[in-house]
Amino acid sequence: MRNEQLTRRRAMIAAGTWAAGTLVGCASMRSGGKRQVRMFDVADYGAVGDGVTLDTRAIQRAIDEAAVAGRGSQVLLRGGKKYLTGSLALKGNIDFHLADDAQILASTNPEDYTIVGLPRVAASQPTTAPRNDRSLFTAIRAGGLRISGTGSIDGCWREFMEKFDEENEWWLPKKFRPPMFQFVGCTDLELRDIQIIGSPVWTVHLLGCRHVRCDHVTIRNQMDVPNCDGINPDHSQDVEIANCNITCGDDAIAVKASRYGNAYGPTHNIRVRDCVLLTQDSGVKIGTETTQDIYDVRFERCEIKSSCRGLCIQLRDEGNVRDVDFRDITFVSRYHSAPWWGRGEAISFTALPRSPETKVGTIQHVRVSNVTGRAENSVRINGSDVSRIRDIVLDNVAVTMDRWTKYPGGLFDNRPTTAQDGIEPHTNPGYYLRHADDVTLRNCKIAWGENRPDYFTHALRAEDCKNLSTPGFAGSAAHPDRYTAVSIT
């Protein structure tokens, strides 16, 4: 079907037409119902599209003129072309359209990337969120921006890596590596149908954006490149991520509130649905940057084909996380090499201070329902002395625990924190609760695979938990001759 569509569109362009309109000069008109589309073909501004000539200036001129023309303007990158480019500044009220199989190639020369002013934080305020003032695409306070089409954007990841670290099984990046998209303070933003390949670092960063829709976006990053997250809503509101297919080394979809975006307020009303995810870190995640509140978040009908953690909330800062809903999700979670955060936890909700001095918020009002998965480590709900987790309901959650990778086990991963051990030696019950109150495990199940190491223990282990309820809980100990099914202290 996709090939037929590409062929049909190419034929229309070759005949001098596009979607029932005629291309004339730089700014052409298309009639279609009540809407007229003015087209700005980058070729008319000097873009060569041979994959060798740097087309940055030509494409930028088309963007700038389309933005002046205003709503209804489309910047057209024709199929059958490869456009080599450095930094591009996207503007509001345009449709940046990669037609057919049009391809953008990221320049590998750092001098082709423009420095833009992004928010900063004081050196005394730590953050682990990667920040880069030079991106392939940047849009700042753009309203009504649309990025569409069946074409692709290639980040040329390999050229930004120094070498492969055989011991740790990941790539070591060079000093400079550009994110693909940084949207800052944008409203009414839409990404639809495009494919992004090989980002060297974060792929789509939504910082302080409102009214965003990412629909049928495909991301194909290298699995062993660190920090190449898929989509990161950060201090953003009213965001829908739907029907996306994401492969990446780091978190596939991570909802954040990073410190340098605090001026944009809390993150809320985030909807993630019907996505297929493959990652060496968390499948769907909140955190670790949680410097302001994150609330009203829903993940539903997603398939996490592989991950280091299936479902994850990592609270490490002063913001609060509340009113979160995970539903109708399947997952696989496994160990990867030592540098990757996560040790195969099926579900991991943790509230730990980033450092001994950190004030840490709370996790509360979280619902997990109709979730099924296979994992190498526990369902873990783990607060701390300074932040107890409250009001968690797991309803119809079924997990099979097994071991099938080569990496050492019997661990919990607390990173990032310096307040306690980052990697904690610990037995792995099916469900593990610590410093958590008002937790309900309703119709939850644990099963064990064929490989049951000695550190697989109880079906349920709870420590320092108040008001724990387990109606319909089912499962035996991994080794019934040594452990009881349920242990509560």
Side-chain angles (χ1 to χ4, degrees), residues 209-210 235-239 255-256 264-271 293-297 322:
C209 296
R210 291 169 175 79
H235 290 284
S236 292
Q237 298 92 41
D238 306 321
V239 176
V255 180
K256 296 177 176 288
Y264 291 103
T267 301
H268 63 88
N269 191 20
I270 311 295
R271 300 291 182 265
D293 288 2
I294 299 174
Y295 61 92
D296 189 14
V297 180
R322 68 179 189 274

Side-chain angles (χ1 to χ4, degrees), residues 338-407:
W340 295 103
W341 289 354
R343 285 294 172 268
E345 297 94 341
I347 298 172
S348 180
F349 300 159
T350 57
L352 309 172
R354 189 178 291 275
S355 69
E357 299 77 28
T358 300
K359 176 185 176 182
V360 64
T362 60
I363 297 174
Q364 56 186 334
H365 312 317
V366 178
R367 302 292 181 268
V368 181
S369 56
N370 303 324
V371 168
T372 303
R374 181 170 179 252
E376 292 197 288
N377 207 333
S378 309
V379 173
R380 184 187 183 199
I381 301 173
N382 198 152
S384 59
D385 292 337
V386 295
S387 180
R388 300 181 71 85
I389 295 178
R390 296 183 174 89
D391 186 17
I392 310 296
V393 176
L394 274 59
D395 189 354
N396 192 29
V397 173
V399 176
T400 299
M401 277 181 62
D402 201 352
R403 281 305 313 266
W404 63 91
T405 65
K406 63 182 181 180
Y407 306 100

Side-chain angles (χ1 to χ4, degrees), residues 268-289:
H268 63 88
N269 191 20
I270 311 295
R271 300 291 182 265
V272 178
R273 63 173 180 84
D274 302 299
C275 294
V276 178
L277 311 171
L278 178 64
T279 172
Q280 289 198 174
D281 213 299
S282 297
V284 290
K285 175 180 173 181
I286 295 175
T288 60
E289 291 75 32

Side-chain angles (χ1 to χ4, degrees), residues 210-290:
R210 291 169 175 79
H211 309 300
V212 179
R213 181 173 176 83
C214 300
D215 196 349
H216 286 93
V217 173
T218 299
I219 295 175
R220 289 286 180 268
N221 289 342
Q222 187 74 9
M223 289 282 286
D224 46 12
V225 169
N227 307 120
C228 65
D229 295 34
I231 302 176
N232 298 103
D234 184 359
H235 290 284
S236 292
Q237 298 92 41
D238 306 321
V239 176
E240 183 175 31
I241 301 168
N243 309 302
C244 294
N245 195 310
I246 299 174
T247 298
C248 58
D250 227 300
D251 303 320
I253 299 174
V255 180
K256 296 177 176 288
S258 62
R259 194 166 302 282
Y260 57 77
N262 278 352
Y264 291 103
T267 301
H268 63 88
N269 191 20
I270 311 295
R271 300 291 182 265
V272 178
R273 63 173 180 84
D274 302 299
C275 294
V276 178
L277 311 171
L278 178 64
T279 172
Q280 289 198 174
D281 213 299
S282 297
V284 290
K285 175 180 173 181
I286 295 175
T288 60
E289 291 75 32
T290 48

